């Protein structure tokens, strides 16, 4: 059937979803861009009552653990260090301070839009040490690897990377193993899958019997993906499917993966609210250790007890919806965020706050 416009097609997909869903389904998205797209389009209010959408640990800023934040804040206080970071990290509160507060106290923290900007800073400031704060999932890492390669070619010895990069498949496995977390299917992150393809996610259907569908970012993409999930359940054939065919191939982007593997190796990483997950982070390989800011600046931090209890950990596991946090809107707002999920533009709390969805 042909549809003259997206609105008409969305109505058609919604009608199919309402008609075809047979059992209650809880679907988790693990991508901040999906979180925002779902909130902005108001999809939750239009879906069948049997379908529940949860936001998972899909925002790299939000999943950064307090201890890692405090360590980065300690690093920003080091003499002659310029800390280069994406803007979202500036206002994320650690247990004592934030990078923005440190900047106001004199730390040299600069907002950059890419690792290449950080390289330029290093070239322009030879008497300072420029540390690029690497925060992101598989999608971000190839550009960091490219910057590193360029730094090596340029002989830039005052550039290093503090890697807080994280990998998505291991955290999905942890959620599936968690008896508290009830998920029937995943909307797979479209951007991450452009790099990884579908292979690293096949365990979800093969070992756990759950569907997962790689979705694009339009409302109709998401609805199509949800319909594919419903049909997988109806037909009893859980698998990894690609709805986002215009960008994702089953094999992903092997060149980008090789690039990641050339410079980085998997290591254990701390995830907010979830804890340490083996092989879920990326660290520079030993042969590039001299570009590893963690080794170049072995700072320590003492975790302090937070005055206000943020429920980001539970929100990231899908155990709480943002408005179920007692601080939501009353104490915690984008202007005065208590936790990272309210700071980041891709955070669940910020998306719920901005688009006002309660369901
Ligand atoms: Fe944390 Fe604020 Fe979200 Fe509550 S509303 S979980 S305090 S970020």
């Amino acid at each position: 059937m042909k549809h003259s416009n997206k609105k008409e097609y969305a109505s058609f997909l919604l009608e199919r979803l309402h008609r075809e869903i047979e059992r209650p389904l809880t679907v988790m998205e693990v991508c901040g861009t999906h979180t925002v797209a779902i909130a902005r389009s108001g999809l939750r209010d239009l879906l069948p009552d049997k379908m529940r959408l949860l936001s998972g640990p899909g925002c790299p800023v939000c999943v950064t653990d307090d201890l890692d934040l405090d360590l980065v804040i300690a690093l920003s206080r080091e003499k002659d260090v310029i800390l280069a970071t994406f803007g979202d990290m500036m206002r994320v509160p650690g247990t004592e301070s934030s990078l923005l507060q440190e900047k106001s106290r004199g730390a040299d923290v600069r907002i950059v839009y890419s690792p290449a900007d950080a390289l330029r800073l290093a070239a322009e400031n030879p008497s300072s040490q420029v540390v690029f704060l690497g925060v992101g999932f598989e999608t971000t890492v190839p550009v960091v690897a490219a910057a590193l390669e360029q730094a090596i070619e340029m002989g830039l010895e005052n550039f290093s990377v503090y890697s807080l990069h994280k990998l998505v498949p291991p955290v999905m496995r942890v959620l599936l193993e968690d008896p508290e977390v009830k998920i029937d299917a995943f909307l797979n992150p479209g951007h991450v899958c452009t790099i990884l393809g579908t292979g690293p996610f096949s365990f979800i259907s093969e070992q756990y019997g759950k569907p997962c569908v790689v979705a694009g970012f339009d409302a109709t993409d998401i609805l199509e993906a949800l319909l594919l999930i419903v049909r997988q359940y109806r037909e009893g054939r859980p698998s990894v499917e690609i709805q986002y065919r215009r960008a994702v191939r089953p094999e992903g982007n092997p060149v980008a993966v090789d690039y990641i593997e050339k410079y980085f190796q998997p290591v254990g990483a701390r995830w907010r609210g979830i804890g340490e997950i083996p092989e879920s982070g990326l660290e520079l390989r030993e042969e590039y250790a001299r570009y590893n800011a963690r080794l170049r600046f072995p700072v320590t931090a003492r975790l302090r007890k937070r005055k206000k209890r943020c429920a980001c950990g539970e929100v990231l596991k899908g155990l709480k919806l943002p408005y179920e946090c007692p601080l939501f809107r009353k104490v915690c707002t984008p202007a005065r965020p208590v936790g990272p999920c309210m700071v980041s533009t891709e955070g669940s709390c910020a998306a719920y706050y901005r688009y006002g969805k309660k369901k």
Side-chain angles (χ1 to χ4, degrees):
M1 183 190 281
K2 282 240 178 318
H3 299 273
S4 55
N5 60 43
K6 279 199 173 175
K7 209 168 163 192
E8 195 183 300
Y9 185 46
S11 303
F12 166 78
L13 291 168
L14 273 166
E15 186 270 325
R16 299 298 325 180
L17 266 175
H18 278 265
R19 194 182 313 172
E20 294 189 28
I21 192 165
E22 287 178 338
R23 46 158 286 178
L25 288 177
T26 299
V27 181
M28 177 178 271
E29 90 266 358
V30 246
C31 167
T33 315
H34 278 151
T35 302
V36 173
I38 290 166
R40 187 171 46 213
S41 60
L43 276 186
R44 280 192 178 81
D45 291 343
L46 304 171
L47 292 174
D49 286 343
K50 283 186 178 149
M51 180 163 272
R52 191 163 181 253
L53 296 189
L54 290 180
S55 303
C59 151
V61 171
C62 307
V63 298
T64 302
D65 181 74
D66 273 345
L67 179 57
D68 287 322
L69 274 170
D70 285 359
L71 285 168
V72 167
I73 287 164
L75 170 58
S76 75
R77 295 176 185 145
E78 290 285 290
K79 192 166 174 292
D80 295 330
V81 162
I82 299 176
L83 185 72
T85 175
F86 296 136
D88 268 5
M89 288 300 288
M90 290 295 282
R91 293 191 314 129
V92 180
T95 61
E96 186 198 356
S97 174
S98 68
L99 289 175
L100 191 63
Q101 279 172 298
E102 293 304 316
K103 189 174 170 67
S104 71
R105 289 174 191 147
D108 197 345
V109 185
R110 316 257 185 117
I111 294 177
V112 292
Y113 297 96
S114 73
D117 291 346
L119 267 192
R120 261 191 297 282
L121 271 178
E124 288 163 9
N125 295 275
S127 56
S128 297
Q129 286 287 331
V130 174
V131 178
F132 175 71
L133 178 55
V135 173
F137 296 129
E138 290 88 338
T139 334
T140 320
V141 189
V143 282
V144 181
L148 195 60
E149 188 164 88
Q150 213 183 330
I152 295 166
E153 280 168 15
M154 292 165 71
L156 273 182
E157 293 296 328
N158 66 330
F159 174 81
S160 57
V161 175
Y162 196 99
S163 175
L164 292 177
H165 295 112
K166 296 201 171 47
L167 304 172
V168 174
V171 75
M172 291 169 84
R173 185 186 287 277
V174 166
L175 292 174
L176 287 165
E177 288 287 340
D178 188 330
E180 269 192 304
V181 180
K182 312 278 183 226
I183 304 165
D184 298 304
F186 284 107
L187 271 184
N188 264 27
H191 296 137
V192 169
C193 292
T194 58
I195 307 291
L196 294 186
T198 52
F201 300 93
S202 57
F203 72 93
I204 296 171
S205 51
E206 287 168 9
Q207 292 173 27
Y208 296 90
K210 316 262 181 189
C212 53
V213 176
V214 184
F217 301 98
D218 283 352
T220 50
D221 287 331
I222 293 165
L223 287 170
E224 270 187 11
L226 294 173
L227 192 56
L228 290 171
I229 287 171
V230 166
R231 288 179 178 170
Q232 284 194 32
Y233 263 103
R234 276 181 60 153
E235 292 158 20
R237 48 160 192 93
S239 61
V240 189
E241 262 184 290
I242 303 175
Q243 178 280 329
Y244 193 28
R245 288 186 181 278
R246 59 190 186 276
V248 176
R249 289 173 298 169
E251 69 276 21
N253 182 339
V255 175
V257 172
D258 286 350
Y259 219 35
I260 295 174
E261 289 175 355
K262 180 175 175 191
Y263 291 99
F264 290 90
Q265 62 186 8
V267 290
R270 292 180 282 266
W271 293 66
R272 180 179 295 275
I274 296 171
E276 170 110 10
I277 304 178
E279 308 231 321
S280 68
L282 288 174
E283 189 56 282
L284 288 181
R285 288 194 174 278
E286 251 173 60
E287 50 267 50
Y288 304 106
R290 69 181 196 283
Y291 295 96
N292 185 339
R294 223 185 282 273
L295 301 177
R296 205 178 275 194
F297 307 98
V299 291
T300 54
R302 189 162 60 88
L303 269 181
R304 289 162 206 258
K305 204 168 172 344
R306 285 183 177 277
K307 289 193 198 101
K308 295 172 190 154
R309 197 193 164 297
C310 165
C312 274
E314 287 130 296
V315 170
L316 289 166
K317 285 168 84 176
L319 298 176
K320 262 190 184 163
L321 294 172
Y323 62 83
E324 290 170 338
C325 168
L327 306 185
F328 182 74
R329 276 190 199 280
K330 298 180 195 104
V331 177
C332 181
T333 65
R336 296 177 70 85
V338 175
C341 300
M342 190 59 96
V343 177
S344 171
T345 44
E346 297 204 331
S348 313
C349 298
Y352 271 71
Y353 183 94
R354 193 147 172 224
Y355 299 106
K357 297 301 168 200
K358 300 278 191 264
K359 197 173 159 193

